[in-house]
Amino acid sequence: MKIVEEMIQDAGDRFWGLLGCKMLSATENKVVISITAGKQHTNSMGIVHGGVLSSLMDQAMGMVAVAAKQIDNCVTTNLNIHYLAPMHQGELIVTAEVIHEAGRSLTTKAEVKNADDVLGCMATASFRLVIPKK
């Protein structure tokens, strides 16, 4: 996916890089990213911080929205998260898919699993295409 590849070309200096994200695969309907969660991703209980997990899902869902519409002007308008199991340091895989499109709006879903295929959290989000002013 060319548009997704272009998004991550300079992403090392952005939030993507701060989180330590890696692209695994991307199509018009599905994006898979990962991080190797370290101590810097954990909270005081030693589990991956919910903010990290929500950011990962938002990132992946935003990328699949961009891939679906082939335009990189897209913003999150709603994000719903369900935390299901604690995630620990190690490899985390985030999968995001488009589940509905209507004009300039898209609805997506995502999930985070660990290397043992344990589902840590899932989310849905709405995105709105932003048409640049001329």
Side-chain angles (χ1 to χ4, degrees):
M1 286 276 41
K2 184 176 181 183
I3 196 157
V4 173
E5 290 171 8
E6 290 172 358
M7 284 179 69
I8 60 175
Q9 281 180 350
D10 72 341
D13 295 334
R14 300 184 190 277
F15 199 57
W16 171 272
L18 180 66
L19 286 172
C21 295
K22 297 173 271 194
M23 173 60 66
L24 298 182
S25 66
T27 67
E28 288 181 5
N29 296 311
K30 186 176 181 180
V31 167
V32 183
I33 65 173
S34 70
I35 67 165
T36 303
K39 185 175 182 181
Q40 72 274 21
H41 296 107
T42 62
N43 61 22
S44 61
M45 294 184 296
I47 59 176
V48 176
H49 192 286
V52 171
L53 298 171
S54 66
S55 293
L56 288 170
M57 290 186 291
D58 185 39
Q59 178 71 53
M61 289 186 288
M63 293 176 90
V64 78
V66 164
K69 290 296 190 181
Q70 293 294 297
I71 183 171
D72 66 357
N73 295 325
C74 179
V75 294
T76 309
T77 58
N78 188 45
L79 179 62
N80 298 297
I81 303 165
H82 299 273
Y83 297 100
L84 305 170
M87 294 284 97
H88 300 277
Q89 293 181 50
E91 198 69 15
L92 300 178
I93 309 295
V94 186
T95 304
E97 298 179 54
V98 173
I99 57 175
H100 185 261
E101 292 184 52
R104 291 176 32 196
S105 298
L106 294 100
T107 304
T108 60
K109 68 176 182 175
E111 62 183 31
V112 178
K113 292 183 177 182
N114 66 15
D116 295 325
D117 207 34
V118 173
L119 180 61
C121 55
M122 55 187 273
T124 57
S126 299
F127 291 86
R128 179 90 170 154
L129 298 179
V130 177
I131 306 303
K133 293 181 181 182
K134 295 181 182 182

